[in-house]
Amino acid sequence: MTSADAIRNLLSRYCELVDAGDSEGLADLLADADLATLEGHVWGKGREGVLTAWWPQIRLYEGSPRTQHVTANPLIEVDEEAGTATCRSSYVVFQATPDLALQPIITGSYRDSFARSRGHMALYRAPLQHQPEWRPEPAPRRSNRLGASPPRRA
């Protein structure tokens, strides 16, 4: 497996763990990571940062955040000799709750840094940027044509 493939897998695993409500798995995945803003301010470190600074912000519904994270368009640059890499990607999070239909709730960008650790690529800096809050405009209502009479021909 290439380093770029390992990074894509790590991004996918992150999404799986958050969506499953698996805080311990996420803490293990990010055990070597600094959690930071895009400006470089570190607000959490490793397992403890995930469990005490990040995870408490996640609202759970019967043990699950009821989300579907999608990470897209990863631009991965690897320096095999140095054992480091960077990845720029975009994300959108969908959520459905007992009071909320499935819809996008947040979107943003990741600017992650990786380093080879114990023989594999590990996330070591995880800055993220949220886009300004937005709500999709409701789609215009359309009449349901199922069962309607076909249009008349002239």
Side-chain angles (χ1 to χ4, degrees), residues 25-131:
L26 185 64
D28 289 342
L29 183 72
L30 302 179
D32 298 325
D34 287 343
L35 309 173
T37 65
L38 283 178
E39 295 78 29
H41 170 74
V42 176
W43 53 270
K45 288 183 169 280
R47 281 187 58 77
E48 184 178 333
V50 169
L51 295 173
T52 62
W54 186 0
W55 198 257
Q57 299 176 55
I58 307 290
R59 182 175 294 162
L60 300 178
Y61 302 86
E62 298 178 12
S64 168
R66 300 187 61 156
T67 54
Q68 178 68 54
H69 283 69
V70 178
T71 302
N73 306 323
L75 298 170
I76 301 169
E77 297 176 8
V78 178
D79 182 338
E80 291 292 354
E81 189 173 306
T84 61
T86 60
C87 178
R88 299 183 317 273
S89 59
S90 301
Y91 69 88
V92 63
V93 179
F94 297 89
Q95 185 179 48
T97 70
D99 300 320
L100 180 72
L102 181 65
Q103 61 184 287
I105 60 166
I106 194 165
T107 183
S109 303
Y110 292 126
R111 301 291 182 263
D112 299 321
S113 299
F114 301 83
R116 193 167 307 286
S117 174
R118 296 181 290 280
H120 65 277
M121 281 297 197
L123 187 66
Y124 77 86
R125 174 75 50 136
L128 59 95
Q129 173 181 339
H130 299 303
Q131 298 299 329

